[in-house]
Amino acid sequence: MTIGEELAALRHRYPGCFVVAFADLSTGMVLAVSTLEKTAQEKLDALGRTAQSCLLGQGASAVAQVLGAGARNSPTMALQAGAHDIRCFLRAPAPAVEALCLVLTPEADLDRLLPDATEALLRLTVEA
């Protein structure tokens, strides 16, 4: 299965999943994406930069300090709740530098989605 097919399959399994993107955290770039609706490149670029900040950048450092984990222990998951959506970022285990970026409705079933997305990310980092 290609990266695009893996992303599309994951998005189709979960109603309310608008975007599933595979990003390179070292650059903040979205490498592949599956979207429910056409999404402007600027929005995808912003999603990649947000993932980078939340999982490796200033946001990650702040979370690690609050949790007493130290700067070397960046979070592996971050959630942002907005007025109309939830954004979830999952970081692949080191040494991989990729992440999945998910944009979901507030009603999305995160309990089912997150383990499935984590497994998909592991498959993708082996293929990448």
Side-chain angles (χ1 to χ4, degrees):
M1 189 179 292
T2 68
I3 292 174
E5 291 169 338
E6 183 84 45
L7 298 177
L10 179 63
R11 187 178 58 76
H12 287 292
R13 284 193 296 274
Y14 296 94
C17 186
F18 299 122
V19 176
V20 178
F22 185 61
D24 179 336
L25 293 176
S26 66
T27 62
M29 290 179 57
V30 169
L31 304 174
V33 66
S34 175
T35 61
L36 181 64
E37 299 175 351
K38 185 173 168 120
T39 304
Q41 187 62 45
E42 295 80 23
K43 288 188 177 186
L44 296 174
D45 292 343
L47 190 65
R49 287 190 306 272
T50 300
Q52 184 182 43
S53 175
C54 288
L55 297 172
L56 292 180
Q58 292 179 337
S61 296
V63 168
Q65 285 180 347
V66 167
L67 297 176
R72 291 186 182 173
N73 295 317
S74 296
T76 58
M77 183 180 76
L79 291 171
Q80 286 184 332
H84 305 289
D85 63 27
I86 295 173
R87 294 166 185 249
C88 179
F89 306 101
L90 300 171
R91 182 170 56 96
V97 295
E98 291 86 17
L100 275 185
C101 309
L102 308 164
V103 181
L104 316 154
T105 64
E107 297 80 26
D109 187 352
L110 287 174
D111 290 336
R112 282 191 27 210
L113 173 67
L114 292 177
D116 195 9
T118 300
E119 288 177 20
L121 178 58
L122 293 173
R123 285 191 299 274
L124 291 172
T125 55
V126 168
E127 293 175 15

